[in-house]
Each structure stands twice: as structure tokens, then as C-alpha cells.
Amino acid sequence: MAMEKTFDARTAEPEASARWEAADAFRAGAGARPGPDGAAPEAFSMLLPPPNVTGSLHMGHAFNHTLMDILARWHRMQGHDVLWQPGLDHAGIATQMVVERRLAAAGGPGRREMGRAAFTAKVWEWKEQSGGTILEQSKRLGDSFDLGRNRFTMDEGFHDAVLKTFVDFYDRGLIFRGKRLVNWDPHFETAISDLEVEQVEEKGHLWRLRYPLENGATYQHPVAFDDEGEPTEWETRDYLVVATTRPETMLGDTGVAVHPDDPRYTHLIGKTVRLPLVGRSIPIVADTYADPAKGTGAVKITPAHDFNDWGVGERAGLAAINVMDTRARIAIRDNAAFREGIEGSDALAGLDGLDRYAARDRIVALAGDEGWLDGIDAEVHMVPHGDRSKVAIEPYLTDQWFVDTSDLARQAMDAVRDGRTRILPERDEKTYFHWLENIEPWCISRQLWWGHRIPVWYGDYVTPEGELDHAGGAAVDEPHVYGDGSRRVRAFCGTSVVAVREDAENWYRARLGERVVVRFEGEPVADAEGFPEEDDTVVVTLYRDPDVLDTWFSSGIWPLGTLGWPDDTEELKRYYPTSVLVTGFDIIFFWVARMMMMQLELTKSPEHPKGLVPFRDVYIHALVRDEKGKKMSKSLGNVLDPIELIDEYGADAVRFTLAAMAAMGRDLKLSKERIAGYRNFGTKLWNAARFAEMNGCVPVEGFDPASVTLTANRWIVGETGKLRETLDAALVAYRFNDAANALYAHVWGKVCDWYVELAKPLFQTDESGETRATMAWVLEQCLVMMHPFMPFITETLWSATRADLLAHAAWPAYGPELVEAGADAEMNWVIGLIEEIRSVRAQMRVPVAAKVTLVELDLAPARAAALERNRALVARLARVESFETAADAPKGAVTITVPEGTFCLPLADVIDIGAERERLIKALEKLEKEAKGLRAKLSNAAFVARAPEEVVDEQRARLEAAEEEIGILQAAEARLAGL
């Protein structure tokens, strides 16, 4: 059946997908072929960065997936045993938010009313109905991952692996519980990671507050300065002025910091100020965090509500007083630090229970009324907000679980430094090392219901006297014992309730005697195994930690967990370490570094004392921006939806555009015009295939490209060999843009533009059979090598003449040995001559239909022979009417120089040379004026510093284009100047 006139992506894409799916073409190992001497196929494995189960495909995903799919298809066609592992992340906070919103919209009971078990059941119900949309959308893009192995970070096997990781780290002393500052989201009432915090510019205020010095202390404060900024007058002050954008936090102030070398305050270090409203006496401490040149040089320190202040507090030994609850309401009534102050102050007592912003207003009003408000300044500043809740984040002091990352970070850095893992581009190594060198303990607990619940249970502590500590007491320095003075508990960690019960029973019986029974909270007494009825039996009830693990903790074992760890599976032996991780630069430290730390630790063994890296290469790609270089944003209205683009232009065009623009380390500036252009590339290929079909070009079994004899055929065979070598070199180095651009230049330029034209006259000769066979082979090789980039159109064209799948076709092994030097030199010289003639015609604005005379002025004998053999081709493609020879160029002729030859085109009778030169001069003047203005703008340091980056880039691009056009016009004008 004859080919359709045009390629219809809307029908062809689902048909190709159906063929792949029916053949299970992308299962692990599909299409693999034995290696040399019958060896097992080489393994190639990589992991899809698991998108959120709530997510939809966006351009960042499309870019990431396209690059990964190119690698997967390329390796599969090389006969490698390919595993591209897909999966989804349970996305704790995002998923919980989605389901809570659905419950609210339905008007039924909310999360708290439902209770934990019913709510998590509802989340699972939603996941089964609506989760995973993004993987279905990814199939539209052509992703060739093994959906039969799809994993979810909450599925049973992966869940067990996550809990085992926690228990192993806990047993090794790498996980601890402690009271530290975290990013706290008051809306969701949970700690969140830095990645889930976005900085929002807000108009606010800077309030200056007066803290009175105690015990008669004073200092001299400068109030007048000379022209050089030196103080000339002072006033005596018995108070310090501190400034804050969050007056409500002053309730938790436990110190004021000054720089140790600030002469104004050195005599005050060690003295105290009285905290207004609260009445607390707080010390003045020396710390270099205080900047003498900023404000008054005195800084209020609130260790429990500011990360920098926490550091000062640690160094100075200041107390940390939490003044808010989990919803960012003032909570001081039951706090011992406020007990005396509240009893003596109705104003202070009235703050309890107020929202932080209401408390702020009340405190500022009180400061004004009581005379300790020094002033208010308007200020624009950045305020951290939860990226999901959109509410301001509070630094919050709370008990959390942490990973001690110090040694893990060292191991992860060593693995890159000694070459076990390579990070590309190399500049991203700096980001990796910078984060690991400055790493803090990693907070891994989240106050959510959806997620991996922390496998720790608590029971009452047993005192040295052998009694259960129901009332609590002072904290003790004992492993696995926690408390804050109100209650002390013993923690038990395990992957199952059976293991935890056994551990707890052994611990309690060693301290309380054998008549101890351990039961779990909510477990009926009668169900407690071995529960006796004797009165002297001690029943200990364990309750489970309510928190869940940070999503990054569970996704941190993605390489091992997806391959069946902790079991020693065949997949783990075959595919671990994985070959490459392809991911974005924004999660180098949130995910890449953490996977390195966790996998290296978990895979330690006598055979591998350093552990095994999770991936040999890490390829970091950049961002997809809009055509002006701006980050895509719904608020800016510049978001491009990949599914909409696929509907409009086809998946192949979208994929090829992304690959062609994937210069290592450089952001993409994506436009619909570029995508439309690469759709035309697909059309060009389709038309070439139709041309071949109409001329009877069909694949010939056993065709040997090295056996062709005609010059044009030997040339295109050699060009095909060069392409294969270029592609492999580019893809090995992850230079996707170089590979795509080489394909474009070969398929469009060499094959569709040149070889198709070269073949037309050859089809009319007695040796047409060779040309038809060569044309069929060349186009098939185009399909094979384009397939990783444009899988749908290539699979469709392949199926027109082949019964097997192109996705499993063998990648070629030939290379430059197919290049025949004589044919290569001859055809490239002829093509160069034609291109020079075309260039002159275009520059001189010779009418398209006009035919010209080509005059040979000087030509080497070998070139003359080549021209003679290809005279008909030059005449047709350069629209040359006649060929002449002359010693000198006639008047009005434009000279053309090619290797070993000089020609000219007499144009005096074809164009108005004077008018054309005048046009060129005017165009040059206009362009040079524009370029001069652009150079002036870009040489202005103030413009470059202040203008948005995308604006500066646009101006540079305009200058580059103008200078290129100036060069072309100058060359054209120079040609005419001598006529």
C-alpha cells in the first residue's frame, strides 16, 4: 500500500505505541543480544526520577524524559540489556493537601474528624483512581520505560525497604532524635524541607525597639557625623535599640548580640538588658554575627525562632524559648519561662492564643504606648513561604528525627573525587561539594499522616530504682531515652511489631522482672499475647511515633529499593550500580547527594567496604525557559504544556527540539517556532521516503554499502559512516544537542537536499539498481539513527517495509571505513561549488527563475574532470544555463573562489548592479547604526548589572545577529564594488 501523502502524528503515534505495547518492547532485557563470543548482553540501567503521584507532565519532565529515552533506545538498539525503571513518589505533603481539598469540596468530614486510619484509606482510594496520570502522559512523549516494573514509594516492598533503612541507620547510630530548628509550615503543621520553601518579596516594616540596660549601665551613642562619617557628637543612652521584622518573636529573646570589636559596646558585654513586656533579664553577648555597620550594631537573639539566632545561641549558651504553637499562635501561658511575667501583666497574658500577626500588632501598639518603640521604617524584604500552603514559614524549635550526615557526606564526596561516580557538566560538581561540605544534620520527620510512619514505639522509662517513670523527670544521658522534663520515654525501633515487642519485653524484663507484658496502644488487653491475670504482672503500653518520614528519605533509596533490596534479587545483581542518572540541577543536593550517601552506606560489605555507588554517571541538565529566557510561570502566562504541544506539532517535533537545544549546562529558550521547524524536519524525511517509494527504492537483503561503485553513492555511504561515528561520540559524552544537530545536517542537508537530487539522473541510467538499493539503505540508516530522537515517525516508516520493530533494530557498527576519499572529495567539492553559486545569486538578488553563465577562469585538471562528470548536476541545481572558459572575468561579473578553482558569474545583464549596490549600502548603514547602539548599551556596566538576565541575553543575541548580517552584506557589497 502506497504511503500517505503526509505524516499524521495524531493517528501514527497511538498506532506505534500499540505495536510497542503488544510486543512488550520495553520490558527489561527486551531486544538484548549476546555480546562477543556469546557473552551476556551488556547491562544498561537508569532510573526515572519519580514524579509526584499528584503531578502532570510539564516541560521540565518532558525535557528530562526525552534525554533519558534517547539513551534507553540507543542502548537497546545496541543490543544491551536495558532497564529504564519508572515509578512514582507518594509526595507526602502534596498528596495529603490534594485529598484534604477534595474532602473539603465534598462537604463531608475533614481529616481530623475522620481519624488517621480512615484518612489514609481515603488517600489510597484517590491514588488508585487518579494517581499516575503523569506516567500515562509520558507514554504520549514516547517514553520507553518498563511499565511492568513500575514502582511506587509506598508500595509494600518499597515501604519495607524504607523502614529497614531507618532501622539500619538507627542501629548504626546514624539517626537520632533531637530538639532543633526546622522550617515549620503552620498551615500543614509540619516541618518541611528547604526545597519546599519559596522566597516571596513582601512590603513590610522594620520595627526598632528599645531594650533598657540594667543595673545603671549606659553607653555613648553617636548622633552627629562629619563629612567622612566620623562621629562628632554623642548622647548617653541607658537602653539598646534592636530592630526586627517580626516583633512577635521578641517574647522569646534570650540575649542581645554585639560585635566583640565594636567599641560602643565592649564594656557592656556580659551585662544585661531587661526584655520589655516580659520582664526577663537577658545577657549582652559578643558574637561576630552582629554587624557594627548594620543598624545600631545590636541584634536581638531569639534562638527558638531564627536560624542565625540559633547559631548565636549555641555559641553563647543562650536558652531557646519557643513562644508559638504548631499553628503559629502565641503559646506562653503554660511555659515556665513566662509564668511570673503572665501573673504580673495582663498585657502579656492577653497575647496568649493570638495569631502571630495579631500578636505583632498588639506588641507594636504596647511598645508605642509604653515608650519602648524607637521607630518604624518601611522595608521590602524576602519572606519564606511554604510552596504548597503559601503561608509564611516559621523557624520552629521542635523534637524531630535527624540523620547524622557528617560521615555519610564524606563518603559521598570521596566517591566523586576518586572517580567512582562522575558528575557532568563538571561545574555541577562544585554545587555537590559545596552542599556536602556545609551539610547540617538532616531533619527526616514530618508531622503528616500520609507517608512512611516512623518505625519507633515509646514506652515509659524505667528509673534506676526499678520503677516505671509515669511522671517524668530530668533528662538522662542514656541511649534511646528521650524526654523534656515532663515525661521520659524509652524508644524501641524495629521493622515489625513482633520485633519491637520482643525488644521491649527483653528491656523491661531485665529491669522489672519476668512478669512484664508489652502491649501496643489500641491493642485490646485480651489480645496481648501471654497476658496473665495475676495482679503483680506489669503491663507496659507502647505507642508509635505519629510522624512520617521525609519524602526525600524514601526516594533516597530509589536505586536500591526499586531493584528489590534488601533481598539479593537477580535484578539487583544485574542492574546495580545503575549506569546513569539524568536529572535537574535544582535537586543535586536534595536528591542526588542523598542517594549517594544512603546507597554507599547501605551497600557496605566485606567485599565492598566503601559501599557501591548508585550510579556511575550523573548528567545534570538545565532549565527549560520561554523564548525570552524567562522561567515559565503560570503568573507570567508563559507556560508551555507539553501535551498541548504534542497535540499541535507531534511528539517527535517536541522531542527533537528539546534534544537539539540541550547544550550541556545551558538553559533552553523554547519557542513554538522552533518546534514547528523541527516538525518540518520530520516532513522532509517523510517526503524523501515517499520519493524513494515512488522510484522503486526498496531494501535489498544482503546489501553491502562498501560495494557501491558510483561516485554519488560512494559519497553518501561515506557520509552515513561519518554520521554513525559522530552520533556515538556525542551520546557517549551526553552531548545531545551535538547528536541532534549532526542528524539534522545529515538527513536534511546531505540526504534530502543533495542525495535525492544526485539520485534523480542516476535513476535513468543502466546502473539505476545500485542507486535504488543505496537510496533504500541510506534512508533505512536514517530511520535507525533518528529513532532514539524521533521514535514515532521512524517506527511508522520502518513498518512500511519491515515486519520487525525498529525499536529493536541493530544499531550500526560501521564508521569511517565506509568513506572513499576520492568520492568524498569530488562530491563535497561539487556541492561546495553549487553552494557558492547559490550564495552569490542570493546576495545579488538574482531572480530565482533567471539562468546564468558560469565562466571558468582557473581550474586544476582534477577539479575540471570532476566538474565535467557533474556538469548536469551543477546546471540543474545552480540554474546555470551555459559553461564557458575565459582568461579574465568580463566586466560586470562576480568572482567565485573554490578549492583549486576560480569562476565568475556575469551579472551585468541580469541585475541592475548600481541599484543593487545602493541597496546594500543603505542596508549596511542601517544595520551598523543598530549594532552601534547595541554595543553602547552592552558596554554600559549599569545596564548589564541591573537589567534582567533575559533582557541582556536578548540584546547580545540581537548584536550577534546584526554583526553576522553586516558581514554578509559587506561581502556582497565588496563583490559589487569592483564591477
Side-chain angles (χ1 to χ4, degrees), residues 508-525:
Y508 281 110
R509 287 173 180 172
R511 289 157 178 79
L512 300 175
E514 289 300 314
R515 307 191 69 82
V516 171
V517 170
V518 172
R519 60 186 292 270
F520 293 97
E521 188 176 42
E523 180 182 41
V525 172

Side-chain angles (χ1 to χ4, degrees), residues 760-773:
K760 286 177 181 177
L762 297 178
F763 287 156
Q764 313 307 317
T765 68
D766 293 339
E767 297 175 300
S768 63
E770 177 188 296
T771 302
R772 287 186 170 87

Side-chain angles (χ1 to χ4, degrees), residues 602-725:
L602 292 171
T603 55
K604 285 181 179 178
S605 67
E607 184 182 358
H608 301 287
K610 293 183 176 180
L612 294 171
V613 295
F615 15 75
R616 296 184 179 91
D617 284 346
V618 179
Y619 174 74
I620 306 295
H621 60 71
L623 283 177
V624 182
R625 298 181 180 271
D626 73 5
E627 60 186 311
K628 294 183 178 179
K630 292 182 179 178
K631 190 172 181 179
M632 292 187 186
S633 164
K634 290 181 180 179
S635 61
L636 294 176
N638 63 346
V639 173
L640 292 176
D641 184 322
I643 297 300
E644 292 178 1
L645 293 175
I646 289 171
D647 288 339
E648 185 173 358
Y649 300 102
D652 290 323
V654 173
R655 289 169 59 107
F656 201 88
T657 303
L658 294 170
M661 300 179 73
M664 189 177 289
R666 188 187 310 161
D667 287 350
L668 285 75
K669 295 180 182 179
L670 187 63
S671 70
K672 288 187 175 183
E673 288 73 18
R674 291 292 296 267
I675 300 171
Y678 287 120
R679 179 182 58 185
N680 296 341
F681 178 43
T683 300
K684 191 81 170 178
L685 175 66
W686 185 268
N687 290 341
R690 287 188 70 240
F691 168 80
E693 180 191 58
M694 290 187 291
N695 284 278
C697 304
V698 294
V700 175
E701 194 67 31
F703 175 79
D704 180 7
S707 68
V708 298
T709 59
L710 298 177
T711 301
N713 294 337
R714 297 202 313 269
W715 169 74
I716 196 62
V717 163
E719 290 295 330
T720 304
K722 292 178 189 177
L723 175 66
R724 198 285 306 163
E725 185 180 42

Side-chain angles (χ1 to χ4, degrees), residues 176 178-181 254-255 257 285-287 289 301-304 306-321 397 440-441:
F176 65 93
K179 191 179 286 292
R180 287 172 175 262
L181 274 191
T254 57
V285 300
D287 198 283
Y289 171 64
I301 302 300
T302 320
D306 183 278
F307 288 102
N308 290 316
D309 291 5
W310 172 265
V312 176
E314 288 277 281
R315 293 188 291 272
L318 301 178
I321 301 174
L397 184 62
E440 296 285 340

Side-chain angles (χ1 to χ4, degrees), residues 52-67:
N52 287 354
V53 68
T54 59
S56 296
L57 194 74
H58 57 61
M59 284 313 306
H61 293 130
F63 182 37
N64 176 264
H65 292 203
T66 293
L67 302 185

Side-chain angles (χ1 to χ4, degrees), residues 329-340:
R329 298 172 301 198
I330 301 301
I332 56 177
R333 185 171 297 278
D334 297 324
N335 190 320
F338 295 92
R339 197 160 293 143
E340 293 183 7

Side-chain angles (χ1 to χ4, degrees), residues 350-423:
L351 296 173
D352 190 66
L354 290 182
D355 172 79
R356 55 183 163 170
Y357 299 119
R360 175 182 300 179
D361 293 341
R362 182 79 61 85
I363 289 171
V364 171
L366 287 169
D369 293 343
E370 297 176 4
W372 47 278
L373 178 64
D374 191 71
I376 305 174
D377 300 316
E379 181 174 277
V380 176
H381 54 273
M382 304 302 291
V383 179
H385 283 64
D387 66 346
R388 301 284 180 183
S389 66
K390 306 303 179 185
V391 303
I393 295 303
E394 282 294 336
Y396 190 65
L397 184 62
T398 179
D399 287 311
Q400 301 287 343
W401 287 97
F402 295 86
V403 174
D404 181 355
T405 51
S406 53
D407 193 55
L408 298 178
R410 179 192 57 76
Q411 297 174 59
M413 288 188 285
D414 288 346
V416 173
R417 287 185 175 124
D418 63 26
R420 282 176 283 157
T421 291
R422 180 175 60 151
I423 297 176

